[in-house]
DNA sequence: GTCTATAGGCTGATAGAC
DNA sequence: GTCTATCAGCCTATAGAC
């Protein structure tokens, strides 16, 4: 991991960790080079500059993560099917578990993946120019799957209310990922959630109760 | 506003806006001085340095906001009262409306207040050394009020589940405040929520359904 | 209190030897 | 591909005139 074979990879790993900790403006290239046990000039040579390195961090992260993202199968419920509601409920469960996994709330073992997700969340929060690409890559698939399931379980909402409902379901997971320090405080210093699976189940149960659906 | 009487105030206002936009490391003192129409040296003179200016931004924000925070009265429900459940429901409503207001999701008119809350949220997300103070000042009162209400409506939860339940209620509001750009995308470019009051009511209704309580 | 001028250090980037 | 040495520019901070 830290002793990756080639320099390029070491630089990307070091940069991912440091950007995750301190943000783009908070780290210098010298520090990154030092952590990667590489020479400063190698950053310009391999990536063309700090911006190029940052983009490489995101690009390589994209390439590395999709295979890990949504490892759980996520069947799209067919509204016309006779068991549509049951499928939607199962879809909702898979969606929540998947979101909790993706956002590294306790299931991700690889520190590099955790750091990468922190970079992504930081970028989403800043609302910068890369927001649309990140949304398309990370958030949109989840939101669409979520919207499908919710549309079956609660049809006929206004546009505004549909967004609100989606937010009511996924918001807790997002908030938890965006404010890890705060929820550590809320949980007496222990990381929260302690058990990602149980957390996802709790949120699923909460959502199903709100939707007036009997839990599967 | 931008033309505040004294220089000190102008510096704090300029710094609040710029720190909100670009973060602590993302802005230079020159830029802050320029926006405040002040001389660079005045920052050291009045605040002792960049760190002092940042702390002043937070301190003055604390002083300015509590009067605006929780403008709605927020009675603490008494679990022993005969109408405890009704009081808890009303408390929950007030809590959600208040949180939506505090987090500037559509109700805050003053751009300075909006910028200040952005600084606070940024600081909470970074998880820095000031996190505990910010939590105590901004989050804890809400969480405690929330916990009181939820404890009445749904007693006997485990510690972990109690945190989860609190997060299920307040998470959507937090997520929305932390990812304004993302939810603008989710809402076809329009800011979300369009109507903070309606948003709070939706979340209250959602929560009450989940808790199996008839809406007031 | 406000300003100019500048110090001293760090930043990202690169030329050029190997 | 990797390194050293160095550049020009920016950063924060401050000494000192007014």
């Amino acid at each position: 991991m830290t002793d990756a074979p080639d320099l390029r990879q070491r630089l990307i790993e070091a940069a991912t960790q440091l950007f995750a900790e301190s943000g783009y403006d908070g780290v210098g290239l010298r520090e990154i080079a030092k952590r990667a046990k590489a020479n400063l000039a190698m950053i310009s040579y391999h990536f063309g500059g700090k911006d190029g390195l940052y983009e490489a961090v995101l690009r390589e992260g994209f390439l590395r993560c999709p295979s890990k993202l949504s490892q759980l199968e996520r069947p799209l419920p067919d509204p016309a099917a006779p068991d549509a509601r049951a499928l939607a409920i199962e879809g909702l469960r898979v969606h929540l578990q998947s979101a909790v996994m993706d956002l590294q709330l306790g299931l991700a073992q690889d520190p590099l993946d955790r750091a990468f997700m922190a970079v992504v969340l930081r970028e989403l929060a800043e609302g910068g120019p890369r927001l649309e690409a990140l949304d398309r890559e990370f958030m949109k698939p989840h939101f669409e799957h979520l919207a499908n399931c919710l549309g079956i379980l609660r049809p006929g909402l206004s546009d505004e209310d549909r967004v609100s409902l989606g937010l009511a379901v996924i918001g807790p997971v997002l908030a938890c990922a965006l404010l890890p320090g705060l929820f550590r405080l809320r949980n007496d210093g222990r990381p929260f959630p302690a058990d990602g699976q149980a957390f996802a189940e709790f949120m699923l149960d909460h959502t199903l109760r709100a939707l007036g659906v009997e839990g599967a």
Side-chain angles (χ1 to χ4, degrees), chain A:
Chain A
M1 163 72 59
T2 315
D3 302 321
D6 64 321
L7 193 149
R8 205 190 122 90
Q9 194 58 27
R10 286 210 311 278
L11 280 170
I12 286 186
E13 295 185 5
T16 304
Q17 291 170 345
L18 288 169
F19 283 144
E21 287 170 25
S22 314
Y24 184 86
D25 294 315
V27 206
L29 293 185
R30 283 167 173 80
E31 196 180 345
I32 294 174
K34 189 178 170 190
R35 161 130 16 159
K37 299 194 209 314
N39 188 281
L40 169 63
M42 288 299 93
I43 293 176
S44 285
Y45 177 77
H46 282 291
F47 305 100
K50 191 180 191 181
D51 243 34
L53 174 57
Y54 186 72
E55 274 170 29
V57 162
L58 290 178
R59 189 165 3 94
E60 306 261 318
F62 281 158
L63 295 177
R64 195 174 51 246
C65 277
S67 58
K68 304 194 177 185
L69 281 182
S70 321
Q71 288 175 347
L72 308 162
E73 52 179 330
R74 203 166 23 164
L76 281 185
D78 173 8
D83 53 350
R85 288 177 68 85
L87 281 175
I89 291 173
E90 184 53 27
L92 215 52
R93 163 178 288 116
V94 172
H95 166 82
L96 274 166
Q97 286 178 342
S98 174
V100 171
M101 279 186 69
D102 294 357
L103 296 168
Q104 315 292 316
L105 297 177
L107 294 183
Q109 304 300 332
D110 186 348
L112 184 58
D113 287 347
R114 298 182 72 98
F116 174 62
M117 285 311 303
V119 174
V120 168
L121 285 172
R122 212 182 255 270
E123 187 72 22
L124 287 174
E126 316 262 323
R130 281 173 259 261
L131 191 140
E132 198 162 351
L134 290 166
D135 175 50
R136 186 173 52 246
E137 197 78 25
F138 282 97
M139 297 304 189
K140 207 154 204 160
H142 284 290
F143 271 97
E144 282 176 358
H145 179 255
L146 181 59
N148 279 334
C149 299
L150 293 175
I152 290 171
L153 296 173
R154 185 101 113 83
L157 283 182
S158 70
D159 281 1
E160 179 100 355
D161 282 353
R162 188 159 37 244
V163 178
S164 293
L165 182 57
L167 189 52
V169 177
I170 198 60
V173 180
L174 281 175
C176 198
L178 285 161
L179 300 171
L182 184 66
F183 283 98
R184 184 178 281 269
L185 280 180
R186 290 274 73 74
N187 200 31
D188 290 327
R190 283 167 284 115
F192 181 86
D195 180 348
Q197 298 270 5
F199 178 71
E201 280 301 321
F202 183 94
M203 289 305 164
L204 174 64
D205 183 64
H206 184 84
T207 300
L208 292 179
R209 285 168 184 264
L211 293 173
V213 174
E214 277 308 302

